Amino acid sequence: MELGHGSFAVGSRSIPKVAGVVTLLVVLLCSCLTSTEAYDALDPNGNITIKWDVMQWTPDGYILSIWKQEDPHQRAPSLPKAVVTMFNYQQYRHIQAPGWSLSWKWAKKEIIWSMVGAQATEQGDCSRFKGNIPHCCKRDPTVVDLLPGTPYNMQIANCCKGGVINSWAQDPDNHAASFQVSVGMAGTTNKTVRVPRNFTLKAPGPGYTCGIAKIVKPTKFITQDGRRTTQTMMTWNVTCTYSQYLAQKTPTCCVSLSSFYNDTIVNCPTCSCACQNNITQPGSCVEADSPYLASTINGPGKATLAPLVQCTSHMCPIRIHWHVKSNYKEYWRVKITITNFNYRVNYTQWNLVVQHPNFDNLTQIFSFNYKFLTPSGISKFSAGPLGNVQSELLLRKDASTFTFGKGWAFPRRVYFNGDNCVMPHP
């Protein structure tokens, strides 16, 4: 399927368009869901697994392969001498710009001689070395991806995307990240090597908690002719799980509701994401018709991850509106509108997850194609040019359950980019 290009900005105020794809994940779940830290009931097995493959021993250490990917069944590509890789096993939570960063603390006095496909953000104190200067001498290095357009001699497969990684359900062809590293002043056998500790993954901000490194069976690789299998000298994994409560102090999205059979529009709850307070907190939001809008957007906070939102009663960067549009003899129709109120973010890789008991009878999604996961439906479509995107869903009625009474026609839970949105009060 060919996917369109586009993005959505805030209102008609233009933010440069960026090529991208958006995804709707329509999740069919009928059971009650509870929130627990670092656990997602809609994706209970979702995590980012960092695989460290020792590919080769060197006179004073080893050469690594680290993978970052989201498909547990994908065959490993042909590896250079040293690659470190991460796997993202999350269904719909991706890593967006400015991308991931990975840090850890060495167990001994290890150094990084060289890297390909990524770089340490600081070299550290390498003054004790003469002649051959290491790439990084810090006890706690932080590594980031290289940018697109990096010279080919500095690249390896699945690198150099500016730290952006899509989810395996949204874009299975672009869900991996790899980099090569040569480690020195370390053990030179699997009995003398000590695994690093205190792993921290930012993607791009906080939210992930990483466990300890666990030594596992060596990774095996099959040659392209299928006649020979090789394996790593040593392999260990680190698993990182996401918690929305660690990622941000306040929600990032809210939901409003309406229907054809009632004139009332149920708006997002007041102060869903924050409270409007330009008196005590100047700059907490900006009016849509402000003559200083352009200068505010490009102001001192431009480089930060903090959203700059339009002044609303809910103060959320994203609002999802669910409108029950039509009622037919055997079907009913819903219109979904997603509006961006964040002037600093032009969403180009995003997804929406909706929980509703009637999605097992989802018949058609207009304007984009879809396919079902188990037990979820996935639809991919391109975003509109202005501040919102819209689409409609056609669902077949189940005579045993269908009703417009008691709010049955409205969603039970909505996620945007993997974060739980604030629902109106019952």
Side-chain angles (χ1 to χ4, degrees):
M1 175 180 63
E2 183 177 353
L3 303 177
H5 296 282
S7 57
F8 68 108
V10 181
S12 58
R13 309 268 184 179
S14 61
I15 294 178
K17 295 179 68 178
V18 181
V21 178
V22 291
T23 301
L24 174 69
L25 304 177
V26 183
V27 174
L28 167 64
L29 286 176
C30 302
S31 59
C32 295
L33 302 177
T34 58
S35 298
T36 58
E37 188 161 319
Y39 174 78
D40 185 349
L42 300 187
D43 190 13
N45 299 316
N47 68 77
I48 293 181
T49 298
I50 307 167
K51 180 180 286 291
W52 295 62
D53 283 325
V54 177
M55 304 300 296
Q56 176 182 328
W57 301 118
T58 63
D60 71 334
Y62 53 88
I63 295 178
L64 275 173
S65 166
I66 295 182
W67 300 65
K68 187 188 215 165
Q69 185 174 311
E70 294 183 359
D71 184 358
H73 305 295
Q74 182 172 350
R75 178 179 291 187
S78 177
L79 294 176
K81 290 183 178 180
V83 184
V84 178
T85 310
M86 308 178 209
F87 300 84
N88 186 345
Y89 295 122
Q90 299 174 109
Q91 290 196 73
Y92 48 79
R93 184 172 293 106
H94 56 269
I95 298 175
Q96 57 191 356
W100 58 265
S101 66
L102 178 67
S103 60
W104 63 85
K105 186 174 183 179
W106 292 115
K108 297 193 288 187
K109 296 182 178 181
E110 293 91 337
I111 58 166
I112 298 175
W113 280 116
S114 62
M115 298 188 73
V116 179
Q119 63 184 1
T121 57
E122 295 182 56
Q123 184 183 38
D125 182 6
C126 296
S127 59
R128 68 183 185 276
F129 293 91
K130 297 180 180 180
N132 218 2
I133 306 300
H135 175 79
C136 178
C137 298
K138 287 181 66 68
R139 289 290 310 279
D140 54 348
T142 297
V143 172
V144 296
D145 195 11
L146 297 182
L147 298 175
T150 295
Y152 288 113
N153 63 349
M154 298 175 62
Q155 295 187 30
I156 63 168
N158 297 321
C159 84
C160 312
K161 294 179 268 189
V164 175
I165 305 177
N166 296 333
S167 65
W168 68 264
Q170 185 170 353
D171 189 0
D173 293 331
N174 292 287
H175 63 284
S178 308
F179 62 88
Q180 174 181 323
V181 57
S182 178
V183 181
M185 298 183 67
T188 56
T189 71
N190 54 11
K191 294 185 181 298
T192 58
V193 164
R194 296 292 178 265
V195 298
R197 58 181 184 267
N198 297 349
F199 286 88
T200 301
L201 174 65
K202 294 186 177 181
Y208 286 91
T209 301
C210 299
I212 62 173
K214 296 182 179 180
I215 298 175
V216 296
K217 293 182 179 180
T219 303
K220 293 186 178 182
F221 307 101
I222 303 174
T223 58
Q224 292 190 358
D225 61 12
R227 303 176 64 186
R228 174 175 165 79
T229 299
T230 61
Q231 68 180 47
T232 61
M233 304 295 148
M234 187 178 181
T235 297
W236 59 83
N237 289 346
V238 178
T239 301
C240 304
T241 54
Y242 179 83
S243 168
Q244 181 176 350
Y245 308 104
L246 297 177
Q248 60 268 322
K249 295 180 180 179
T250 60
T252 58
C253 55
C254 65
V255 178
S256 58
L257 308 170
S258 63
S259 66
F260 71 92
Y261 55 83
N262 194 318
D263 293 335
T264 301
I265 297 177
V266 181
N267 292 314
C268 291
T270 301
C271 298
S272 292
C273 300
C275 290
Q276 187 179 150
N277 195 352
N278 269 335
I279 297 177
T280 59
Q281 292 181 325
S284 61
C285 66
V286 59
E287 298 291 348
D289 57 354
S290 170
Y292 307 106
L293 181 59
S295 60
T296 304
I297 294 173
N298 297 310
K302 180 180 179 181
T304 72
L305 299 176
L308 176 65
V309 300
Q310 187 179 119
C311 294
T312 60
S313 61
H314 55 77
M315 291 290 286
C316 290
I318 292 290
R319 182 190 66 195
I320 293 92
H321 185 74
W322 176 282
H323 176 66
V324 180
K325 184 177 181 180
S326 305
N327 182 29
Y328 310 110
K329 182 178 180 180
E330 296 183 356
Y331 299 90
W332 62 294
R333 185 188 295 253
V334 172
K335 181 178 181 180
I336 297 177
T337 303
I338 307 171
T339 305
N340 177 18
F341 293 97
N342 187 357
Y343 286 101
R344 286 208 174 106
V345 177
N346 192 16
Y347 295 92
T348 57
Q349 289 284 355
W350 57 270
N351 56 66
L352 183 71
V353 177
V354 181
Q355 179 198 1
H356 193 281
N358 200 202
F359 277 142
D360 55 345
N361 290 321
L362 180 61
T363 302
Q364 187 174 0
I365 302 180
F366 296 89
S367 305
F368 50 87
N369 298 323
Y370 72 94
K371 63 180 180 179
F372 279 100
L373 290 180
T374 305
S376 310
I378 296 181
S379 302
K380 300 179 181 178
F381 61 101
S382 59
L386 300 179
N388 64 71
V389 291
Q390 304 175 3
S391 192
E392 296 189 5
L393 286 64
L394 185 66
L395 302 99
R396 181 185 294 273
K397 294 179 180 178
D398 184 338
S400 63
T401 59
F402 179 82
T403 177
F404 280 134
K406 298 181 180 180
W408 183 90
F410 298 117
R412 307 304 188 260
R413 181 166 292 193
V414 176
Y415 284 53
F416 182 82
N417 272 358
D419 286 337
N420 195 5
C421 300
V422 177
M423 299 288 295
H425 302 299

